[in-house]
Amino acid sequence: MDMKIRPRRLRYGETLRKMVRETRMDASSLIYPMFVREGNGIREEIPTMPGQYRYSIDTMEKKLEELLDAGVSSVMFFGIPGYKDEVGSGAYAADGIVQRAVARARREFPELYLITDVCMCEYTSHGHCGVLCGHDVDNDATLELLAKTALSHVQAGADMVAPSDMMDGRVAAIRTALDAAGHINTPIMSYAVKYASAFYGPFRDAAGSAPAFGDRRSYQMDYHNSREGIKEALLDVQEGADIIMVKPAMSYLDMVAKIKEAVHVPVASYSVSGEYAMIKAGAQLGYIDEEKIICETAAAAFRAGCDIYLTYYAPEIARFIAEGRIG
Ligand code: PBG
């Protein structure tokens, strides 16, 4: 057969396959999300996320050590407070759970990069991501509280803040508050392209943050939309976002590719709780090979164009990269 071009030629042998590989991964791109809660000596497994835990501040330290040993040097904290109220005051309390966790981590692990999720839903009695006016989330009244929350995290020692509430104008409000307090070099990673997704289900179990009534569709995006995501990303960049996140990951990689083209800041992709839960469940049933699926889904996110990957599998991925299995 006279065939000059044979794509298979470049697929023989691991050395050649690695030479021509298009997607390279590095553990420094990984962020591990973790849940911190009130109490002492607590490490409770999240039922819908086997292998993931809620840590009290003391047990968190051991986990942070393990992450560093595994080659993961960035974490994102979610707080589970001891009390909730209408206005989510635990979110911006100077001695709130995230503030204390960050302060401790800052002191004990200076080499760790500490990011905080900025949102109200874990702290409000109604579970919505802002303060209410009737049955609606009051956008503009929420901005001030988000800015206060972000500032309190930075004052406790956070290196970066990541607002996930999806209120309009929050990046500008947070930027203004941080700058006014002198934190001009603290970056904002905006959950700009965040869809109203059933993939957050296990997270809401973990954080006890499901809305008490209604849903989040008046602030998170409709998953039928693509151009709207670009609009959100462009707006947040204008408001001063340093990094744009797309969330969830697996079913939204088209958006990662589009956002990568549309903006000139780093793009992050968040493989959320439901993605983790599906892989775990499939693996526990013996239907899929967990390690291979972890490698493939991580490579797919980077292939789509993300620069940063948030995942509950961060330590495993770091190990697979170190072992040369991927990347
Ligand atoms: C807070 C927040 C959520 C997630 C990250 N930040 C939940 C939600 O929006 O309901 C989801 C993360 C995950 O599912 O892993 N608003």
Side-chain angles (χ1 to χ4, degrees):
M1 188 120 179
D2 181 21
M3 195 167 15
K4 298 227 164 27
I5 300 175
R6 289 181 179 269
R8 289 186 60 196
R9 261 184 225 128
L10 292 180
R11 295 181 198 140
Y12 284 96
E14 191 60 0
T15 304
L16 180 57
R17 281 196 294 268
K18 279 189 172 162
M19 185 192 297
V20 300
R21 186 166 278 175
E22 297 175 39
T23 302
R24 307 274 173 181
M25 284 175 259
D26 188 301
S28 60
S29 304
L30 302 171
I31 299 174
Y32 179 72
M34 67 186 285
F35 301 93
V36 286
R37 53 156 292 164
E38 295 288 349
N40 253 310
I42 297 170
R43 179 178 173 270
E44 46 183 19
E45 192 164 31
I46 299 161
T48 48
M49 299 177 75
Q52 301 301 316
Y53 300 82
R54 304 183 192 97
Y55 299 93
S56 53
I57 291 179
D58 53 334
T59 61
M60 163 197 87
E61 287 189 35
K62 188 159 172 283
K63 180 67 185 179
L64 295 180
E65 229 172 83
E66 284 171 22
L67 288 169
L68 282 169
D69 287 346
V72 177
S73 49
S74 304
V75 292
M76 172 133 89
F77 287 116
F78 292 97
I80 303 167
Y83 68 95
K84 300 176 189 248
D85 59 27
E86 276 283 300
V87 292
S89 52
Y92 39 89
D95 63 348
I97 179 64
V98 165
Q99 290 80 354
R100 281 185 290 121
V102 162
R104 177 78 69 90
R106 176 78 305 140
R107 203 180 67 212
E108 301 296 326
F109 303 96
E111 66 277 46
L112 255 184
Y113 196 81
L114 307 175
I115 307 167
T116 58
D117 180 84
V118 175
C119 195
M120 313 281 300
C121 63
E122 297 102 317
Y123 305 89
T124 52
S125 42
H126 44 76
H128 278 287
C129 300
V131 284
L132 297 182
C133 178
H135 266 188
D136 187 29
V137 176
D138 185 337
N139 190 91
D140 298 11
T142 300
L143 296 183
E144 191 192 327
L145 301 182
L146 292 168
K148 260 169 86 169
T149 303
L151 181 58
S152 71
H153 290 173
V154 174
Q155 284 169 338
D159 292 301
M160 180 189 284
V161 290
S164 67
D165 52 281
M166 287 299 278
M167 296 303 121
D168 295 333
R170 83 283 178 74
V171 173
I174 291 171
R175 187 72 271 158
T176 303
L178 294 183
D179 288 355
H183 301 291
I184 56 169
N185 286 322
T186 303
I188 299 174
M189 172 162 63
S190 175
Y191 288 70
V193 190
K194 177 171 177 179
Y195 287 90
S197 170
F199 283 104
Y200 310 148
F203 173 97
R204 292 179 191 167
D205 291 341
S209 64
F213 63 88
D215 53 42
R216 302 207 199 292
R217 286 184 295 175
S218 80
Y219 39 103
Q220 300 178 351
M221 278 192 300
D222 180 348
Y223 53 68
H224 299 83
N225 297 350
S226 161
R227 288 187 303 157
E228 187 187 9
I230 296 170
K231 170 174 143 190
E232 284 282 4
L234 292 175
L235 261 176
D236 282 6
V237 170
Q238 267 172 30
E239 289 180 27
D242 300 281
I243 298 171
I244 293 293
M245 190 202 293
V246 176
K247 177 181 173 208
M250 203 156 59
S251 305
Y252 295 83
L253 295 183
D254 58 325
M255 293 311 298
V256 172
K258 284 183 185 169
I259 298 298
K260 182 81 172 195
E261 290 291 312
V263 301
H264 298 102
V265 298
V267 176
S269 167
Y270 190 159
S271 179
V272 299
S273 56
E275 300 177 46
Y276 177 87
M278 285 199 311
I279 295 173
K280 270 287 168 204
Q284 283 183 354
L285 284 167
Y287 291 172
I288 54 168
D289 180 324
E290 185 178 20
E291 297 198 349
K292 287 182 177 160
I293 297 273
I294 296 171
C295 291
E296 192 172 331
T297 47
F302 286 103
R303 189 186 66 231
C306 76
D307 304 288
I308 299 165
Y309 190 44
L310 295 101
T311 167
Y312 301 96
Y313 280 124
E316 287 82 357
I317 295 170
R319 195 178 66 205
F320 297 150
I321 293 173
E323 289 169 355
R325 287 182 53 174
I326 43 169

